[in-house]
Amino acid sequence: FVIFPSVRNKVLIGFIGLGVNSGAYVAEIVRALNNMARKKIGALIVFERRTGLGDVIESGTVVDAEISDPLIENIFEPNTPLHDGAMIIRDERIVAAACILQLSDDYTISRELGTRHRAAIGITESTDAVSSPWPETENLRAIWTRSR
């Protein structure tokens, strides 16, 4: 799926399956991603759904914090301990950062997609999570998921 900037807040709330009161959380995420895009900083965010991501969370650093623009920007700030890897969101909280995701083994995926996108696709191949690789630009954003 490709999310256009003009509709991304509403699409994220519905597509990820966050609660009715999630608008503020999504606004924080979108604000952080827009700020990072201006600084040419990318991100990989995974939204846990029904399938638990305990093993993935254990591969990173437990954060267990409220979703906020400054925290998200700090997590993905280059050359800091948490910037490399995925940030995991569960129940409208940031539960972990710097998590390692298995890359997709699908060789039909375009060679133009890098490691971040392959990791985003990989997590959706074994779970019902929604993964979101955000590029270092202000262009279109992509969200990957597989039906489960």
Side-chain angles (χ1 to χ4, degrees), residues 65-92:
E66 212 173 280
I67 296 171
S68 73
D69 163 12
L71 178 57
I72 295 168
E73 288 185 55
N74 189 270
I75 285 172
F76 289 109
E77 182 68 29
N79 303 314
T80 61
L82 300 179
H83 92 279
D84 208 13
M87 180 178 79
I88 311 297
I89 294 180
R90 172 197 290 154
D91 297 328
E92 300 176 354

Side-chain angles (χ1 to χ4, degrees), residues 125-142:
E125 292 172 340
S126 59
T127 72
D128 67 344
V130 173
S131 61
S132 182
W134 300 82
E136 296 90 348
T137 66
E138 294 185 79
N139 293 333
L140 298 178
R141 313 296 196 228

Side-chain angles (χ1 to χ4, degrees), residues 28-57:
E28 290 288 321
I29 294 167
V30 170
R31 190 171 21 260
L33 293 169
N34 284 332
N35 291 340
M36 292 187 316
R38 281 192 285 280
K39 295 185 256 181
K40 304 253 186 264
I41 298 171
L44 177 51
I45 302 174
V46 176
F47 297 87
E48 183 183 69
R49 291 170 66 183
R50 291 177 307 276
T51 306
L53 298 177
D55 291 345
V56 174
I57 291 166

Side-chain angles (χ1 to χ4, degrees), residues 88-128:
I88 311 297
I89 294 180
R90 172 197 290 154
D91 297 328
E92 300 176 354
R93 290 187 66 78
I94 299 170
V95 293
C99 296
I100 306 301
L101 303 182
Q102 181 175 336
L103 301 181
S104 175
D105 291 328
D106 185 347
Y107 294 104
T108 64
I109 297 170
S110 171
R111 292 184 182 263
E112 293 177 12
L113 296 179
T115 304
R116 182 182 307 140
H117 287 82
R118 290 180 184 282
I121 295 168
I123 190 70
T124 68
E125 292 172 340
S126 59
T127 72
D128 67 344

